[in-house]
Amino acid sequence: MQLGLVGLGRMGGNMRDRLRAAGHEVVGFDPRPEVSDVASLAELAAALTAPRVVWVMVPSGDVTRGTVRSLSEVLSAGDLVIDGGNSRYTDDAVNAALLDGHGIRYVDCGVSGGVWGKQNGYGLMAGGAPEDIDRAMPIFDALRPEGPREEGFAHAGPVGAGHFAKMVHNGIEYGLMQAYAEGFELMEASPLIHDVPGVIQAWSRGTVVRSWLLDLLVLALKEDPRLEALTDYVEDSGEGRWTIQEAIDAAVPLPVISAALFARFASRQDSSPAMRAVAALRQQFGGHAVHKAAGPSGSPGEPAGPGAAR
């Protein structure tokens, strides 16, 4: 099958390689000429035989929306656009309506697998009309892991369902990673555990907490047993926030995923105003010792009271 692929970064470039290895013809476009097969989206469209299928694999938000608008101007009625990035599901109806005005079909597809997908395959969650899903199935089958289709691909529902499913997937990922990280920290703090990486590796077979994420933690600890080369600053790419916002709207409790997201926020604070407030309150009601900031501000642990200077 012939496919146009827009975006040849870490994911898109590996997807192009996997698809070509499966025998598909892939014409890729990327703003970086050193990795691109064509010089523009117009050239991409010209290089493909109608009816075309074009997969978009670029950063979510304005970049994806701009790419879809540009494709609407160079593609033709009967063509199909697949957004495989991490777009918010609410963008999908807008993109589909824009393309529909030109007679162009639209599918959204959540993609999981990261940089390992080229070798292992990608988990795929697609949203769209059944006939559009069927049309792109040879591409989905080449990208998903080997084995039964239902263990690596799902037609989740209509347009928007694929990205909604991927949003929830990534929210779950936040919670799993946080649980492993907290277990690592607790064992690091215990004088009883002399081989933390060894314990975590022992969990990777036969235990109820085994997973691919755990395997990746084992790999990281082999490279750096105490993870000392890293800082504790952790970004979030948006899906965790979207998941929690949807949960609020639906009145669905997500305490684990919420706590995992807030832990990432805490990692970015050089100093926590909230915890300074807690320290101040402990000092006020109980005279508990506090650690003063640098500068002439009295003695550590000095209780404040009605007669204290203000």
Side-chain angles (χ1 to χ4, degrees):
M1 182 173 173
Q2 190 183 56
L3 179 75
L5 181 58
V6 181
L8 301 171
R10 285 176 298 179
M11 289 278 283
N14 283 344
M15 290 169 68
R16 177 174 62 176
D17 291 343
R18 184 174 176 88
L19 287 166
R20 285 177 173 173
H24 296 286
E25 179 188 350
V26 182
V27 181
F29 169 73
D30 191 276
R32 299 168 296 156
E34 65 271 18
V35 300
S36 189
D37 299 318
V38 292
S40 67
L41 290 178
E43 286 192 20
L44 177 76
L48 300 172
T49 303
R52 310 168 183 87
V53 178
V54 177
W55 188 299
V56 177
M57 205 70 191
V58 301
S60 62
D62 289 341
V63 178
T64 294
R65 289 189 287 267
T67 300
V68 170
R69 281 194 300 272
S70 296
L71 286 171
S72 73
E73 298 167 358
V74 298
L75 296 180
S76 305
D79 293 344
L80 171 65
V81 171
I82 304 171
D83 175 14
N86 278 333
S87 295
R88 191 166 187 172
Y89 80 96
T90 50
D91 285 351
D92 291 317
V94 178
N95 290 337
L98 171 66
L99 293 172
D100 187 61
H102 299 267
I104 302 168
R105 305 297 298 169
Y106 180 82
V107 163
D108 61 286
C109 185
V111 180
S112 180
V115 296
W116 297 82
K118 176 180 176 180
Q119 174 183 341
N120 299 333
Y122 302 88
L124 305 173
M125 299 141 268
E131 60 271 24
D132 296 327
I133 300 296
D134 290 344
R135 177 176 170 185
M137 192 58 72
I139 298 300
F140 295 140
D141 279 340
L143 289 174
R144 66 174 175 81
E146 295 181 4
R149 179 183 291 166
E150 61 270 18
E151 294 182 5
F153 172 83
H155 180 192
V159 166
H163 281 144
F164 192 99
K166 180 58 166 38
M167 175 190 72
V168 175
H169 165 283
N170 283 23
I172 294 169
E173 181 184 291
Y174 278 48
L176 288 172
M177 287 192 288
Q178 186 66 25
Y180 288 135
E182 291 175 7
F184 167 77
E185 182 173 355
L186 180 57
M187 288 192 291
E188 277 282 302
S190 171
L192 286 173
I193 306 295
H194 295 170
D195 184 7
V196 174
V199 170
I200 291 176
Q201 185 169 8
W203 293 347
S204 61
R205 284 182 177 268
T207 75
V208 297
V209 299
R210 66 190 185 274
S211 73
W212 185 46
L213 281 174
L214 184 68
D215 294 341
L216 294 177
L217 180 57
V218 170
L219 288 177
L221 291 172
K222 284 182 177 179
E223 297 173 2
D224 184 0
R226 303 195 68 182
L227 303 180
E228 295 172 320
L230 304 175
T231 71
D232 61 357
Y233 188 105
V234 183
E235 287 283 7
D236 71 284
S237 54
E239 294 92 338
R241 301 184 191 211
W242 302 340
T243 304
I244 293 166
Q245 289 165 359
E246 291 297 323
I248 291 169
D249 291 343
V252 173
L254 297 186
V256 172
I257 296 173
S258 300
L261 177 64
F262 294 148
R264 295 192 184 194
F265 292 166
S267 79
R268 303 170 205 166
Q269 293 182 299
D270 293 329
S271 177
S272 170
M275 297 316 294
R276 291 201 301 273
V278 170
L281 287 169
R282 292 183 75 248
Q283 185 189 43
Q284 290 284 340
F285 71 71
H288 298 288
V290 294
H291 296 273
K292 294 286 189 176
S297 56
S299 303
E302 179 182 5
R310 286 174 171 81

